[in-house]
């Protein structure tokens, strides 16, 4: 039986991005052992009434080495096709997202971070290079420096304002794998004129 690693929420804020709520921030493994991280966020109103609870899915690096930091985003997703007027799509869409409908305005939030000692999938043999940013796209190259094929490459992108404060966290899955000693180009489309409203900002 091993002691759970100590995790720290470095920064966190509740935002509204294009009519949907999310919790974004950074988490750090401040312990001396690798950690498998699980994050759960809860929304409350002014009267501390619980409105919704959801866990971070794939927009976080779940395996953190000692002292490693990862940005995260918790989306609050609703139940798809629950209304009579909704129709189930004929094809599968991995990017399908159903925003959570809240009857009240969330004003506060709580984060719960849990970690277990991990000894697998710790070293990611992937290198990011040749990153170029324009007003519309972020381009770059991923290189596989390991001895095994990377089957599902993912890029986590963190946006900052002029004060170097996090305002949005997004991700990009690439449709192709990367074989050993090979590289793959990626392109991320930046949202046009996003409406970002900070509802609650917790500073540690």
């Amino acid at each position: 039986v091993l002691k759970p690693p100590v995790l720290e929420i470095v920064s966190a804020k509740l935002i509204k991005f294009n009519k949907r709520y999310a919790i974004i921030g950074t988490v750090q493994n401040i312990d001396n052992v690798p950690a498998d991280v699980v994050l759960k966020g809860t929304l409350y109103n002014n009267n501390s009434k619980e409105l919704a609870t959801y866990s971070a899915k794939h927009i976080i690096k779940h395996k953190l080495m000692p002292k490693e930091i990862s940005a995260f985003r918790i989306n609050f997703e609703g139940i798809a096709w629950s209304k009579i007027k909704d129709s189930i799509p004929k094809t599968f869409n991995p990017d399908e997202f159903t925003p959570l409908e809240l009857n009240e305005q969330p004003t506060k939030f709580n984060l719960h971070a849990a970690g277990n000692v991990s000894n697998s999938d710790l070293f990611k043999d992937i290198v990011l290079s040749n990153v170029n940013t324009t007003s519309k796209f972020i381009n770059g190259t991923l290189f596989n420096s390991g001895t095994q094929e990377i089957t599902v490459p993912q890029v986590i992108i963190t946006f900052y304002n002029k004060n170097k404060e996090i305002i949005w966290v997004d991700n990009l899955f690439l449709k192709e794998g990367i074989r050993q000693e090979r590289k793959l180009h990626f392109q991320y489309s930046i949202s046009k004129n996003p409406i970002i409203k900070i509802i609650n900002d917790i500073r540690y």
Side-chain angles (χ1 to χ4, degrees), residues 100-112:
L100 180 66
E101 296 183 2
L102 297 174
N103 297 325
E104 301 180 49
Q105 169 73 35
T107 58
K108 298 181 290 185
F109 68 95
N110 180 48
L111 278 175
H112 178 263

Side-chain angles (χ1 to χ4, degrees), residues 54 108 169 203:
Y54 219 84
K108 298 181 290 185
V169 180
R203 299 177 184 273

Side-chain angles (χ1 to χ4, degrees), residues 6-204:
V6 180
L7 305 175
E8 179 180 357
I9 304 297
V10 181
S11 64
K13 60 182 66 176
L14 171 62
I15 67 169
K16 189 175 183 180
F17 182 88
N18 292 345
K19 299 182 179 181
R20 72 185 193 191
Y21 297 97
I23 297 176
I24 62 174
T26 52
V27 59
Q28 182 179 17
N29 175 16
I30 62 175
D31 215 318
N32 297 319
V33 293
D36 191 343
V37 181
V38 176
L39 275 182
K40 182 178 72 174
T42 307
L43 300 182
Y44 300 91
N45 61 8
N46 279 329
N47 299 322
S48 298
K49 175 185 175 183
E50 183 177 324
L51 302 178
T53 300
Y54 219 84
S55 297
K57 295 171 62 177
H58 49 267
I59 309 183
I60 183 177
K61 189 176 180 183
H62 285 280
K63 301 294 181 71
L64 294 180
M65 297 294 286
K67 308 303 183 292
E68 187 177 8
I69 300 177
S70 172
F72 68 86
R73 186 180 96 207
I74 302 177
N75 292 321
F76 292 89
E77 193 169 353
I79 301 175
W81 318 310
S82 59
K83 297 181 180 179
I84 298 177
K85 297 180 181 180
D86 296 339
S87 59
I88 300 177
K90 297 181 180 179
T91 58
F92 172 70
N93 179 13
D95 297 324
E96 187 80 27
F97 180 80
T98 303
L100 180 66
E101 296 183 2
L102 297 174
N103 297 325
E104 301 180 49
Q105 169 73 35
T107 58
K108 298 181 290 185
F109 68 95
N110 180 48
L111 278 175
H112 178 263
N116 295 315
V117 178
S118 177
N119 61 359
S120 62
D121 300 328
L122 299 178
F123 299 99
K124 308 298 182 183
D125 298 315
I126 189 168
V127 180
L128 185 66
S129 62
N130 299 328
V131 178
N132 297 312
T133 304
T134 64
S135 59
K136 296 182 179 180
F137 300 102
I138 298 177
N139 299 282
T141 302
L142 296 177
F143 176 72
N144 182 1
S145 61
T147 58
Q148 294 181 339
E149 181 178 358
I150 298 174
T151 55
V152 186
Q154 180 192 16
V155 181
I156 297 179
I157 304 165
T158 308
F159 294 89
Y160 297 85
N161 58 15
K162 293 181 180 179
N163 299 324
K164 297 182 180 181
E165 299 172 337
I166 295 179
I167 57 174
W168 184 240
V169 180
D170 205 357
N171 76 310
L172 174 68
F173 281 107
L174 303 184
K175 297 181 179 180
E176 300 179 22
I178 309 175
R179 291 189 294 169
Q180 302 89 326
E181 301 297 327
R182 301 295 174 89
K183 60 183 180 180
L184 180 66
H185 178 76
F186 73 88
Q187 184 178 75
Y188 170 83
S189 300
I190 301 176
S191 299
K192 297 181 180 179
N193 301 321
I195 302 175
I196 302 176
K197 179 182 178 182
I198 299 176
I199 300 174
N200 194 342
D201 188 355
I202 296 179
R203 299 177 184 273
Y204 296 89

